[in-house]
Each structure stands twice: as structure tokens, then as C-alpha cells.
């Protein structure tokens, strides 16, 4: 295969960012199809993918014979309906997080993939491709600073769009930490406790935040996550790891420093699109290489399910205010 022909389903900000990335910066792939019900958005995306064709559904795009792989960037609620025909066609797919909105649908996806007999779903947990997280995972594994004792995470957005509701603090945003904490510690999350911090009056009325989320792993690590989506000043994802003999910190801005009018300042990111730009590039390039061989090059559907199951416990805690246990199905041998 010369170029992997990719169909993009959903051309909001993330879908469009991936289209630009694939057609301009990645090697080995081109955008051949766009599926987006909002015609204005579809046309705006086509500007970046002039050779692509618009289709009304993923089924039609697959039937056209123009599609070797798919990238799903619709809101999570639509993922299952899009993933099922892709799995049936055996086409490799990168699906943005959350894989699905709830546990039953996540398990249905895993079961369908297992039945199809091949791992073809990669879930868009781009943090696993971020240099800082990769270094931190190595640091933890090496035990150079002794055993890992705790993680302090801050996940801060300047603001969120109108359609971002209170549950999305957990389901859309902390869904990343449900994955990355498990990945850093190599241990599943067994309990979740959400605490309300003093409410930011600048937050939209529908949101009760910031929140502090305590994730406890089976191995006994507690990760604190400050989830904050109205910080106004910029976008930050910072992790401090506490070890027996020292500390490690990742995620501070390395933006340009300026000295002006008696002050020193450093540029900060304002969006995940720039904060994780390199991670997205590495994630998508790894996926393209693997998809050309018919497989995946990153977190799989079971990782997607594990995050969704953690989110379910997180949502229960958001409602009850209590510590809630997370439980998981036994991992099928297929995912070992
Ligand atoms: C968004 O969907 C993302 O995935 C970002 O990484 C996260 O920081 C943001 O809070 C989410 O809404």
C-alpha cells in the first residue's frame, strides 16, 4: 500500500486538527473521506483535504472502496454506532477518547473486536506519547529514586465550550487521568473520590468546579487530580511524582521567556492542541505505521474500557460525594 487512505468521522476542532496533521506533517497517509453531518464544518475541513470526498455515513465511505483506515473524532456518544461497521469491515481505526460513554457499550466494542479476531481499535490517549509522561514512566520503572509513593496531577483548562456539562469534568477530562495514572503505575484504579473545591465564580453556572479527584491504584498509590476548567490564564497539565528519595515533575511550560519592563515572563499554552501537539503527531504517526500493517500502535480497546469503567466510578462519586469502588471485568486473553 503506498498511502493509507483515511476516513475522518467528525470534523470538529480535534478532527480538523488531525486532518491538517495527516495531510501536512505525517508520512504514509492521506485523507480520502470526510463524514460530518454539519455541512459548514465538512466544507471547512475539505479545505485542508482537497482530494477527500464527503460521505453521508461511514458505511457509504467503506462501500466506496476509498477507505483503508478510519479516525473517529465525533463526541463519545456517537462512537459505538460508528465503530461497529468499522469493526465489521476489519478496518484499523483510531478512536478519540472516551471510547464510549458507558461500560456496557465499551464492553460491546471489546466483544465485537474480539469476535472479529484482530486488534484494530487504537484509543486516542495521546498523553502516552508525550515526552514528559514517557520520561516519568521510565523514571518510575527504574526505581532510581526509590518506590513511587504518590502523584499530584493538575489538569487545567482556560475555559470550556457551551456543550461541556458538569459530568464531562470526569467523563471527558479526568478520563485522561484514569488512563495515564494506570499507565504510569502499571496498576488499575480501584477507588475514586471526588471532592468539591471552593467554587470558582468565574465558572459557567452549570459547572460546579474546580474539583479534586483522588484516584487510588491497586498497588496503593494515591493520585490527586485538580480538575479545573475555568482557570482563564492558559492550559496546564502538570504531574509531580513523589518517590522515597526524591521528586520528579513534568509538564511545566518551556515557552519563550521574555524580560520586559522590569519583569520576567514565560509563554504558557492556551489549549491542548498546542500543549500536546508533538504527542498527537507521534500518536498519529505510530498509528499510521501500524494501520498500514492492519493493526494498532498504541492503547487498545481494553485500555479504552478500563478508563470508561474508572469514569463510571468517578461519576458515582461526583454524585454521592463518597469514595466509590471501581470494578472491572476479567481481561479476555485476547487483550493480553
Ligand atoms: C478535551 O476533550 C481533551 O481531551 C483535553 O485533553 C482535556 O484537557 C479537556 O479537558 C477535554 O475537554
Amino acid at each position: 500500500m503506498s498511502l493509507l487512505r483515511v476516513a475522518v468521522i467528525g470534523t470538529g476542532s480535534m478532527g480538523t486538527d488531525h486532518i491538517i496533521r495527516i495531510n501536512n506533517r505525517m508520512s504514509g497517509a492521506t485523507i480520502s473521506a470526510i463524514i460530518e453531518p454539519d455541512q459548514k464544518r465538512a466544507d471547512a475541513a475539505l479545505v485542508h483535504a482537497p482530494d477527500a470526498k464527503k460521505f453521508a455515513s461511514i458505511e457509504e465511505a467503506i462501500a466506496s472502496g476509498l477507505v483503508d483506515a478510519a479516525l473517529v473524532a465525533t463526541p463519545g456518544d456517537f462512537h459505538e454506532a460508528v465503530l461497529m461497521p468499522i469493526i465489521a469491515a476489519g478496518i484499523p481505526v483510531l478512536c478519540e477518547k472516551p471510547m464510549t460513554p458507558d461500560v456496557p457499550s465499551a464492553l460491546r466494542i471489546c466483544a465485537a473486536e474480539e469476535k472479529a479476531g484482530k486488534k484494530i481499535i487504537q484509543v486516542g490517549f495521546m498523553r502516552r506519547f508525550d515526552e514528559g509522561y514517557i520520561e516519568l514512566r521510565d523514571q518510575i520503572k527504574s526505581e532510581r529514586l526509590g518506590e513511587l509513593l504518590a502523584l499530584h496531577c493538575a489538569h487545567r483548562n482556560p475555559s470550556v465550550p457551551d456543550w461541556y456539562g458538569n459530568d464531562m469534568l470526569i467523563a471527558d477530562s479526568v478520563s485522561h487521568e484514569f488512563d495515564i495514572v494506570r499507565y504510569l503505575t502499571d496498576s488499575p484504579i480501584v477507588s475514586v473520590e471526588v471532592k468539591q473545591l471552593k467554587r470558582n465564580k468565574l465558572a459557567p453556572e452549570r459547572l460546579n468546579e474546580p474539583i479534586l479527584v483522588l484516584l487510588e491504584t491497586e498497588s496503593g498509590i494515591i493520585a490527586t487530580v485538580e480538575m479545573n476548567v475555568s482557570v482563564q490564564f492558559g492550559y496546564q497539565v502538570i504531574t509531580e511524582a513523589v518517590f522515597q528519595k526524591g521528586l520528579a515533575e513534568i509538564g511545566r511550560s518551556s515557552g519563550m521567556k521574555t524580560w520586559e519592563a522590569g519583569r520576567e515572563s514565560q509563554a504558557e499554552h492556551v489549549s491542548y492542541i498546542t500543549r500536546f501537539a508533538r504527542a498527537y503527531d507521534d500518536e498519529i504517526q505510530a498509528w499510521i505505521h501500524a494501520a498500514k500493517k492492519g493493526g494498532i500502535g498504541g492503547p487498545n480497546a481494553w485500555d479504552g474500557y478500563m478508563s470508561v469503567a474508572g469514569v463510571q466510578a468517578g461519576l458515582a462519586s461526583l454524585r454521592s460525594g463518597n469514595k466509590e469502588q471501581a470494578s472491572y471485568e476479567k481481561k479476555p486473553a485476547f487483550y493480553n
Side-chain angles (χ1 to χ4, degrees), residues 1-9 22-23 27-35 51-53 55 58 61-71 86 91-94 287-288 291-293:
M1 182 192 305
S2 48
L3 285 181
L4 183 82
R5 297 166 306 162
V6 179
V8 174
I9 305 100
I22 290 175
N23 268 8
S27 68
T30 185
I31 305 298
S32 62
I34 282 176
I35 298 107
D51 299 332
K53 273 190 71 177
F55 290 94
I58 182 64
I62 293 171
S64 75
L66 289 174
V67 174
D68 304 314
L71 193 156
I86 293 174
I91 289 176
V93 53
L94 186 130
W287 173 66
I288 290 170
K292 284 182 112 168
K293 297 186 199 128

Side-chain angles (χ1 to χ4, degrees), residues 97 126 155 157 164 172-173 176 227 229 235 272 280:
K97 45 62 49 183
M126 78 298 186
H155 184 170
N157 293 220
Y164 185 105
D172 194 56
S173 299
H176 281 295
M227 188 66 237
V229 297
Y235 182 87
Y272 48 89
Y280 286 123

Side-chain angles (χ1 to χ4, degrees), residues 49 127 140 156 165-166 169 190 196 212 270 281 306 329:
R127 292 191 187 182
I140 294 169
R156 304 182 176 124
N166 204 55
L169 289 164
V190 290
Q196 295 293 153
L212 187 72
V270 292
D281 282 357
M306 291 296 287
E329 296 294 316

